[in-house]
Amino acid sequence: MNHDYEISVPIAELQASQTEEITKYKWFESQRLGADIGWTRAADEWFEKHFADWVREQRRLIDEALSMTDESLGATSDEESRELQSV
């Protein structure tokens, strides 16, 4: 099993999500100010103003996904247990 692949895909998704949020921030702030604020300024401001909330949201999404996985694994285990008991 390639553990590097398993780790790199979620990290890439997180990086893409973060980049997308910074890009949105850059666009909105540039529109608000009437001039392009540039990537560096947008990233710096986004990290200062929004990073903590973004991290909390990512953790919530991860926890939600894990609980759904746990529930589906539990359901499978219960079904398998009932099948084994009926044999």
Side-chain angles (χ1 to χ4, degrees):
M1 181 177 286
N2 184 348
H3 296 288
D4 292 336
Y5 175 76
E6 291 173 9
I7 293 169
S8 67
V9 171
I11 289 171
E13 289 174 6
L14 288 171
Q15 287 174 330
S17 171
Q18 193 175 73
T19 299
E20 181 179 341
E21 293 301 315
I22 295 168
T23 301
K24 287 181 202 176
Y25 178 83
K26 178 182 178 294
W27 186 85
F28 283 114
E29 285 301 299
S30 295
Q31 291 296 308
R32 187 177 70 81
L33 296 172
D36 187 352
I37 65 170
W39 179 259
T40 301
R41 176 178 169 182
D44 290 346
E45 290 180 8
W46 182 85
F47 274 99
E48 184 179 313
K49 296 176 181 179
H50 302 289
F51 180 70
D53 291 335
W54 179 83
V55 168
R56 277 191 288 279
E57 177 63 10
Q58 299 310 306
R59 286 184 179 154
R60 185 191 68 74
L61 293 171
I62 290 166
D63 289 345
E64 186 178 293
L66 289 173
S67 71
M68 290 171 58
T69 301
D70 290 344
E71 290 171 7
S72 67
L73 288 175
T76 302
S77 297
D78 290 344
E79 290 173 15
E80 290 173 351
S81 294
R82 283 192 293 276
E83 286 177 17
L84 289 174
Q85 290 173 353
S86 67
V87 173

